[in-house]
Amino acid sequence: EAGVTQSPTHLIKTRGQQATLRCSPISGHTSVYWYQQALGLGLQFLLWYDEGEERNRGNFPPRFSGRQFPNYSSELNVNALELEDSALYLCASSFSGLAGGTGNEQFFGPGTRLTVL
Amino acid sequence: AQKVTQAQTEISVVEKEDVTLDCVYETRDTTYYLFWYKQPPSGELVFLIRRNSFDEQNEISGRYSWNFQKSTSSFNFTITASQVVDSAVYFCALSERVVTSGTYKYIFGTGTRLKVLA
């Protein structure tokens, strides 16, 4: 069974540009989570999607946005890139986190390393 | 305020030593879940264990064991007879309800880097 996949593996952008990161969840999983892992800061929760809707977001500015498609894959968009956006962006999926499913373990992808110059 | 605290930033041990990774959490929810994940050098996080707030039974899985104590809000992870392959960053996480929205969110600690030396 295929795991969570993310593309691209690496992405290099310059300040002010936009970045688009993609994630495909494990088959059968409807929840997709995005995290930012900057050096020394652990995992910071960005966004949670389930059934095509944004269910929760972390303390990030609106220029971090995303969406979930009918096939449950997801896209993270970062607009007006800043140097401090350089980080590893991790996507995770799980069975639905709705209806009390908060105890579902998350399965992580390999991440996209975004570098902003 | 940090809701999941992993005070140990980095730990180094010699192979075959036992090592305990600490995790202290903070929540007002009565129903919540705690997790441990391992992030090896390859970068991909791997799920290790889940505990719900109503189950304080300790768990052992091979060389891994977990001690959940609600009285001290701790969920510590012990590796017995450590091996070089255990070298990784280990994250503790909490899943709790967001009161305002009724949804849930995961909160990860900052991780503990474990180095097991041969």
Side-chain angles (χ1 to χ4, degrees):
Chain A
E1 180 183 330
V4 176
T5 59
Q6 291 186 246
S7 63
T9 306
H10 294 90
L11 190 57
I12 300 175
K13 295 284 186 178
T14 56
R15 284 181 59 186
Q17 285 189 314
Q18 179 199 33
T20 298
L21 289 64
R22 296 179 176 83
C23 171
S24 290
I26 289 173
S27 177
H29 288 183
T30 61
S31 275
V32 171
Y33 310 82
W34 287 96
Y35 295 89
Q36 181 193 67
Q37 187 176 23
L39 201 59
L41 293 180
L43 275 74
Q44 305 295 315
F45 168 71
L46 267 166
L47 292 159
W48 165 32
Y49 290 94
D50 199 311
E51 297 293 348
E53 291 189 23
E54 182 181 302
R55 300 295 174 175
N56 210 342
R57 67 178 292 131
N59 295 326
F60 281 84
R63 57 191 186 81
F64 286 84
S65 65
R67 53 181 173 165
Q68 186 178 37
F69 300 98
N71 66 354
Y72 303 111
S73 66
S74 177
E75 205 172 78
L76 173 68
N77 294 295
V78 188
N79 294 319
L81 284 166
E82 300 178 2
L83 296 178
E84 51 265 36
D85 296 333
S86 294
L88 181 67
Y89 288 83
L90 293 167
C91 172
S93 74
S94 75
F95 290 112
S96 180
L98 302 176
T102 66
N104 296 321
E105 63 265 37
Q106 298 184 2
F107 294 81
F108 285 80
T112 293
R113 169 91 42 204
L114 173 64
T115 302
V116 182
L117 303 174
Chain B
Q2 182 64 272
K3 290 205 161 194
V4 178
T5 301
Q6 294 181 256
Q8 305 150 307
T9 305
E10 186 168 315
I11 301 175
S12 291
V13 298
V14 176
E15 212 171 12
K16 297 184 183 176
E17 283 186 359
D18 298 346
V19 58
T20 295
L21 310 182
D22 298 332
C23 175
V24 174
Y25 64 92
E26 179 188 331
T27 181
R28 294 180 183 177
D29 248 347
T30 54
T31 303
Y32 53 89
Y33 290 83
L34 295 163
F35 303 80
W36 275 96
Y37 287 85
K38 173 182 179 180
Q39 186 177 36
S42 60
E44 203 160 322
L45 273 85
V46 176
F47 165 79
L48 293 178
I49 190 171
R50 167 188 57 211
R51 252 302 171 258
N52 75 54
S53 52
F54 299 107
D55 183 3
E56 286 194 71
Q57 207 169 17
N58 291 330
E59 181 156 339
I60 298 175
S61 175
R63 296 185 296 109
Y64 295 172
S65 62
W66 291 269
N67 183 300
F68 177 29
Q69 292 197 343
K70 288 178 74 171
S71 61
T72 56
S73 296
S74 65
F75 186 42
N76 296 337
F77 172 31
T78 297
I79 302 175
T80 303
S82 60
Q83 299 176 2
V84 173
V85 293
D86 296 327
S87 297
V89 180
Y90 291 86
F91 290 96
C92 179
L94 164 71
S95 173
E96 65 169 5
R97 189 166 50 97
V98 178
V99 175
T100 52
S101 63
T103 58
Y104 292 81
K105 65 177 180 180
Y106 274 73
I107 305 165
F108 280 78
T110 51
T112 296
R113 181 177 298 279
L114 173 65
K115 291 185 178 179
V116 181
L117 308 171

